[in-house]
Amino acid sequence: MLRLCRLIVLAVAVSACAPSPYCEQGIDGPCTFEAWDHACADGNDPPCETSEPILADRSVDVLPVELGGTSLTYVVTSFSLSAPDDDRGVVGFNVDGIDSGSGWTAPDADCEQFNEDGPGRYDPAHVGADNAVAGLVGTAEGLLDPADCPASAPDGCFQALIADSLRRGAFLLAVQVRGVDSLDVDPRVEVSVHQARVVGGRAPAIEPSGELAAGQTLELLRTLAVDPDASLFRGRVRARFEAMDIPFERRERLALPPDHHERVELRFDIHSDGLDAMVLGGVVSADELVDEISAAVEPIFTNASATIRSIVESVADIAPTADPEVCGQLSVGYELAAVPAIIE
């Protein structure tokens, strides 16, 4: 059945009239949302394949429509690559369909299986979350000249450079959520991510805390990814993209994080005053990462490619190659936050 098209108030676009792929019972409900998370089948403990969809508490009797298909825009104010934390969980997603727990110890375990996994930091039901690239940050920062870092120290240089790029407006991302009927549940919304800048190329307004202020007026320069079939459940949004190139400002000799990402997923809690508990994750190519890091450090460390490859492959955890102990891809996850913005 077709959802009724509604006029969008507050002068935004018209929501597409289309049946939701996640709510087949009817236009207004009841609605059972698809499973976002999967667990080990038959109550098996890790290590195991996560093949059992988690559908408990995924149904609602009525679909609210108080927002009438509005569109919301946000600007990213923080972007970090966080190491796994035993107490807080992993910033990332289960991109290999395996929950290896503390790692498989079988002699024939491959590179996907023997790497340790954990629960998602903001999605505890999302088990087997992966983030291998975070394990390379300390090594990459050790290749830097402290003078190249904002605090004149390699430790934390990655985060400091990204924060500086955000404050200067050299690295701005806008997130748009279109066709929103409710900030509680909506079986179909469109989520898009864009490279942006402040109108006129001006520097962003900054809060006393040092973060970007809400209410920035932005120009969208380039669309990075779109998911027309994202969904919103109990205030949390999930979108998935085949690929995304993230336009980091490349400075100094730090080649992390990589630009090109595949099998990308984005989740966040949505509020009228911002987005939080925000995670962007996917996989990156080991070969591309080796090439990027090698090129970045070549002026100082000549013939370093072989050493860099051995380091990257030691943590690569996705897509086993002909040698099952060596993977061709790495999982990655980022933690973000965003505040409302305006599109000119």
Side-chain angles (χ1 to χ4, degrees):
M1 297 178 68
L2 295 181
R3 173 187 288 185
L4 294 177
C5 283
R6 305 174 180 89
L7 290 178
I8 295 178
V9 295
L10 302 180
V12 205
V14 174
S15 177
C17 284
S20 167
Y22 311 139
C23 184
E24 298 178 354
Q25 292 94 328
I27 295 175
D28 301 317
C31 174
T32 299
F33 284 64
E34 69 164 345
W36 288 358
D37 305 309
H38 295 74
C40 300
D42 301 323
N44 293 335
D45 294 324
C48 58
E49 295 184 0
T50 50
S51 58
E52 188 71 23
I54 300 175
L55 285 169
D57 302 319
R58 297 287 294 171
S59 297
V60 295
D61 293 329
V62 177
L63 292 175
V65 293
E66 67 270 15
L67 297 183
T70 194
S71 294
L72 302 168
T73 300
Y74 304 85
V75 61
V76 171
T77 59
S78 65
F79 193 110
S80 63
L81 180 56
S82 303
D85 186 314
D86 290 340
D87 295 326
R88 300 183 62 208
V90 178
V91 175
F93 298 107
N94 183 344
V95 292
D96 56 10
I98 294 171
D99 181 6
S100 58
S102 57
W104 287 13
T105 57
D108 60 346
D110 63 32
C111 52
E112 286 187 337
Q113 299 166 338
F114 59 62
N115 279 287
E116 184 175 351
D117 292 338
R121 178 165 297 182
Y122 300 108
D123 299 276
H126 188 86
V127 298
D130 307 296
N131 188 349
V133 172
L136 295 173
V137 172
T139 300
E141 289 180 335
L143 301 173
L144 298 172
D145 183 339
D148 293 334
C149 299
S152 298
D155 289 347
C157 189
F158 165 77
Q159 297 303 143
L161 289 172
I162 292 293
D164 180 66
S165 294
L166 288 168
R167 285 191 296 267
R168 292 185 296 103
F171 170 52
L172 284 187
L173 297 179
V175 178
Q176 291 191 304
V177 188
R178 296 177 179 272
V180 181
D181 287 334
S182 168
L183 293 181
D184 182 25
V185 293
D186 193 326
R188 188 172 192 171
V189 296
E190 179 183 281
V191 174
S192 55
V193 183
H194 310 264
Q195 182 180 11
R197 70 173 184 176
V198 176
V199 166
R202 297 189 296 271
I206 304 297
E207 297 282 7
S209 64
E211 293 190 345
L212 274 68
Q216 310 273 350
T217 301
L218 305 177
E219 298 176 281
L220 301 184
L221 302 178
R222 179 164 60 107
T223 298
L224 305 176
V226 180
D227 180 1
D229 295 323
S231 57
L232 193 168
F233 187 76
R234 299 308 183 201
R236 191 152 180 80
V237 175
R238 182 188 72 160
R240 291 177 291 179
F241 317 103
E242 289 186 8
M244 182 187 297
D245 289 331
I246 300 177
F248 297 106
E249 183 187 25
R250 291 301 180 193
R251 298 181 297 160
E252 324 310 340
R253 297 193 299 272
L254 186 59
L256 289 180
D259 294 314
H260 185 66
H261 302 69
E262 297 182 349
R263 293 160 55 192
V264 177
E265 185 164 340
L266 175 64
R267 297 191 191 187
F268 49 82
D269 291 347
I270 185 168
H271 316 280
S272 58
D273 58 352
L275 309 177
D276 53 28
M278 194 174 186
V279 178
L280 175 70
V283 298
V284 299
S285 162
D287 287 342
E288 290 179 7
L289 188 56
V290 168
D291 290 344
E292 289 174 3
I293 297 176
S294 298
V297 304
E298 186 67 27
I300 304 299
F301 302 96
T302 58
N303 302 316
S305 181
T307 300
I308 292 171
R309 178 170 293 280
S310 67
I311 294 171
V312 170
E313 290 182 346
S314 72
V315 299
D317 61 338
I318 306 297
T321 62
D323 178 354
E325 294 187 1
V326 177
C327 274
Q329 296 179 326
L330 293 83
S331 58
V332 63
Y334 309 101
E335 186 171 3
L336 296 76
V339 294
I342 300 167
I343 299 298
E344 187 176 62

